[in-house]
Amino acid sequence: MTTPAAAPGDDPNQQPGAGLRADAERNRDRILAAARRLFAEEGLGASMASVAREAGVGKATLSRRFATRGELINAVFADRMDAYATATREALADPDPWHGFIGYIHAVCAMQAADRGFADVLTMTFPAAKALEARRAEAHEGLLELIDRAKATGNLREDFTDRDMPILLMANAGVLNAAGDAAPDAWRRLVAHMIRSYATPDAPIPPLPEAPAPSALYRAMVRLTHSPG
């Protein structure tokens, strides 16, 4: 097996100074960019070794920058978790709580659709990634308030709970994984149906998006059938 050539900042004999610090920062940026690509394409199952190869750095360099997978995940998805928390705050700021609730559902599910790795992050917990989990807790507290406000409008069913959100996210992640690029908008149809199931009989609901074409669904089913594992 070919060992990756030492990237700038990997050389233990390099003298300390501004150049070394700049190289170290470039290596960190390369690692984060590589991890984002791999996590987005493969999910969080991508190995640390594959991240190092993709970044063109040695395993020792990766370990110096990010000692654990949790640290790497925290760094890669910090901005996305910020966006997740922001989606909650924006929903709470909507003068119509029911409209805000619908907007929140769409925003979070769209985040999943844009990044497979983030889809995994939303349906898993990472106790070692303290900052990431803190953002998740903040978003969850906002969600609880949003649910209460939406119920007060009479448009959200009384039996909806915060535990229905992970179920929706897991279902959406499954559709995204199964449909892939064969039916990339299939998730929108799922989400629209789920919103209808959460609404009371007289609640205003968005129009139902078009169902994927039969040929697209066929390609998605063939893709799923032939997926490894």
Side-chain angles (χ1 to χ4, degrees), residues 105-205:
I105 297 289
H106 278 296
V108 174
C109 290
M111 290 177 197
Q112 280 190 297
D115 188 328
R116 181 177 169 183
F118 190 60
D120 289 347
V121 168
L122 286 178
T123 55
M124 300 168 68
T125 58
F126 304 92
K130 303 297 185 184
L132 187 139
E133 291 303 316
R135 292 180 181 88
R136 188 199 304 277
E138 175 191 346
H140 185 256
E141 288 301 312
L143 173 62
L144 293 176
E145 183 177 352
L146 181 62
I147 290 171
D148 288 342
R149 291 186 185 182
K151 285 182 178 179
T153 68
N155 293 320
L156 179 62
R157 288 171 50 138
E158 283 296 327
D159 55 0
F160 181 89
T161 80
D162 60 303
R163 296 184 300 279
D164 288 311
M165 275 304 302
I167 295 172
L168 169 61
L169 295 175
M170 286 187 286
N172 194 41
V175 168
L176 290 166
N177 181 60
D181 57 5
D185 290 329
W187 68 272
R188 299 182 186 277
R189 181 87 171 182
L190 167 72
V191 170
H193 277 303
M194 295 305 293
I195 288 172
R196 281 165 166 71
S197 75
Y198 305 150
T200 56
D202 297 325
I205 50 177

Side-chain angles (χ1 to χ4, degrees), residues 74 77-90 111 118 131-132 134-136 138-139:
N74 187 77
F77 294 106
D79 57 342
R80 287 159 176 78
M81 287 303 289
D82 284 341
Y84 182 40
T86 297
T88 311
R89 291 193 293 269
E90 289 178 349
M111 290 177 197
F118 190 60
L132 187 139
R135 292 180 181 88
R136 188 199 304 277
E138 175 191 346

Side-chain angles (χ1 to χ4, degrees), residues 7-27:
D10 276 359
D11 184 356
N13 298 316
Q14 187 171 358
Q15 294 302 307
L20 179 57
R21 289 194 295 273
D23 286 342
E25 187 63 27
R26 281 193 291 270
N27 282 341

